[in-house]
Amino acid sequence: MWEIKVFDEDRELLEFIAEQLLAYSLKSDPVHIALSGGSTPKALFQFIAKSDIRDAVEWANLHFWWGDERMVPDSDADSNYGEAKRLLFDLTDIPAENLHPINGTLALESELARIDEESQAALDTLHGWPSFDWVMLGVGEDGHTASLFPDQVDYNADTCWVPASHPETGQARISLSAEAIGHAQRVSYLVIGAQKAEIVVKVFADDDSADEYPAANIYSFEGDTEWLLDTNAAKLFMADGG
Ligand code: 6PG
């Protein structure tokens, strides 16, 4: 299923995700969730950290991974794991073994092999691919998602994790591959802010102009894909009669 949900207030969007996390945490089996990086999820982490939901979540039943990571120390403000830990996980009782960060201080190739081995061992599989229960993604203004950038993505990569580099800064990254994300049970794009309104229209275009944008081509093959937008991010798309 592919769905767009527009929320009047950012708070409503963040509350929706927090409630979904709570629901996942009450399931009987461990749940594996890959978080997106960048600034948008920081608002989610801060929201959960301050909400009653934080103490209602059964954190021991949730395992968190990062859909992509910058090859920097976790003390660096650029570290997706470091920011999530500082803004949320340090304020919960989640067991340390439930956090599966990519270590940005190690050699990229060996860390790529290590995180691949860890995810293969921990996750259920779908058609032979490790299958995350939930992959949360953001979208850049150039249409990238995770660290899968335009003209850089190998949609046929046969590994779960791939090396990447930021096209402007050259910053080394490790990212889930398009195929790995495609084998997730659920993919949610979290998109907040007027600065994303233009790329939302481009990604949702119903002709092949959208093909150049990775976020238009990356979705759950057999599960659910949803775009969670605030009204600012959705405003141009809605004005087009979206
Ligand atoms: C990263 C991300 C990246 C991010 C988008 C949107 O590590 O940067 O995973 O794909 O989700 O660039 O970033 P913002 O939320 O900062 O707009």
Side-chain angles (χ1 to χ4, degrees):
M1 179 185 74
W2 198 96
E3 196 178 359
I4 298 173
K5 291 187 175 87
V6 179
F7 297 82
D8 289 338
E9 298 292 333
D10 298 1
R11 176 182 175 76
E12 292 171 3
L13 193 164
L14 300 175
E15 196 156 38
F16 171 79
I17 296 180
E19 287 167 353
Q20 294 288 300
L21 269 182
L22 173 58
Y24 273 112
S25 78
L26 301 177
K27 286 176 175 252
S28 53
D29 294 329
V31 176
H32 291 267
I33 299 168
L35 295 171
S36 72
S39 57
T40 303
K42 293 179 186 179
L44 172 65
F45 303 147
Q46 291 166 322
F47 175 84
I48 297 171
K50 289 188 295 215
S51 83
D52 295 342
I53 289 178
R54 185 190 74 190
D55 295 334
V57 170
E58 293 293 337
W59 293 102
N61 202 30
L62 299 178
H63 287 254
F64 289 94
W65 307 70
W66 278 263
D68 68 317
E69 187 56 277
R70 295 84 177 273
M71 297 309 283
V72 295
D74 62 23
S75 57
D76 190 313
D78 250 10
S79 168
N80 291 331
Y81 161 68
E83 286 296 285
K85 189 170 183 299
R86 283 183 285 277
L87 295 173
L88 177 57
F89 294 122
D90 283 349
L91 306 173
T92 72
D93 60 358
I94 191 165
E97 61 269 22
N98 286 36
L99 300 177
H100 304 271
I102 290 162
N103 186 331
T105 63
L106 298 179
L108 190 145
E109 287 305 325
S110 58
E111 185 57 7
L112 197 67
R114 188 202 64 75
I115 194 70
D116 187 63
E117 191 176 328
E118 184 177 358
S119 53
Q120 300 273 3
L123 298 176
D124 291 338
T125 59
L126 176 65
H127 306 311
W129 282 81
S131 178
F132 285 91
D133 295 285
W134 195 11
V135 174
M136 284 190 220
L137 296 171
V139 62
E141 293 175 47
D142 62 354
H144 80 262
T145 191
S147 284
L148 303 170
F149 293 94
D151 304 322
Q152 209 189 88
V153 191
D154 176 1
Y155 292 102
N156 301 310
D158 58 3
T159 55
C160 189
W161 302 89
V162 291
S165 61
H166 191 284
E168 286 156 19
T169 65
Q171 185 184 57
R173 311 243 182 125
I174 287 178
S175 179
L176 278 176
S177 63
E179 274 289 313
I181 297 170
H183 284 85
Q185 302 300 314
R186 180 182 185 184
V187 172
S188 299
Y189 284 87
L190 170 54
V191 191
I192 292 177
Q195 75 282 9
K196 300 293 174 71
E198 279 191 30
I199 192 60
V200 165
V201 170
K202 292 173 181 174
V203 163
F204 290 171
D206 53 11
D207 58 28
D208 57 13
S209 66
D211 292 351
E212 67 179 280
Y213 307 111
N217 308 311
I218 293 171
Y219 49 85
S220 173
F221 298 144
E222 298 181 15
D224 297 326
T225 301
E226 58 188 351
W227 282 73
L228 307 174
L229 311 170
D230 76 339
T231 47
N232 288 324
K235 65 183 177 183
L236 295 180
F237 175 67
M238 303 302 278
D240 279 356

